[in-house]
Amino acid sequence: MAQLQVKIQRTETNTKTYDVTHSPDMTVLDVLEEIYHHHDETIAYRFSCRTGLCATCMMMINGKPSLSCMTIAEPNDEGYLFVSPLPKGKTIKDLVKVPAN
């Protein structure tokens, strides 16, 4: 187990940083679950794995749109994992988006 610094864009002007214990096989969704359960229960994100609503966990991961349940949590070139909401749509809270009207 190693430490991973995770930066999450919570609002357009607020980025929160967490230090998470992680293993090399953890996905970004696993890391978000770790943050939610052990660091900050106010963080908002979506996932619907195994319910037929694939892609609800889509977010920007290190600057690229990706499924958090399928993407291995790895630091970017600057040494941390950066997670933010997708650029299109309306942000409800943190990483939760809805399509724009």
Side-chain angles (χ1 to χ4, degrees):
M1 296 290 237
Q3 286 296 110
L4 176 66
Q5 188 176 64
V6 181
K7 293 186 181 186
I8 299 176
Q9 183 178 332
R10 303 278 310 250
T11 66
E12 291 201 22
T13 59
N14 180 18
T15 299
K16 183 95 177 186
T17 302
Y18 304 91
D19 288 316
V20 177
T21 301
H22 100 296
S23 60
D25 62 338
M26 288 177 76
T27 65
V28 173
L29 183 58
D30 293 331
V31 169
L32 291 173
E33 288 281 286
E34 176 75 14
I35 291 169
Y36 177 79
H37 289 288
H38 300 287
H39 299 275
D40 185 353
E41 63 186 24
T42 68
I43 191 161
Y45 56 98
R46 281 191 177 155
F47 66 97
S48 298
C49 299
R50 296 184 264 325
T51 65
L53 295 171
C54 194
T56 58
C57 72
M58 179 82 67
M59 58 189 68
M60 300 298 287
I61 300 170
N62 290 331
K64 297 177 184 169
S66 302
L67 295 171
S68 66
C69 68
M70 303 281 287
T71 305
I72 297 297
E74 297 178 320
N76 60 17
D77 292 340
E78 297 170 11
Y80 57 86
L81 172 66
F82 184 70
V83 183
S84 61
L86 292 170
K88 294 185 180 180
K90 179 182 176 190
T91 302
I92 301 288
K93 182 179 177 192
D94 301 334
L95 303 169
V96 179
K97 298 285 264 193
V98 294
N101 291 333

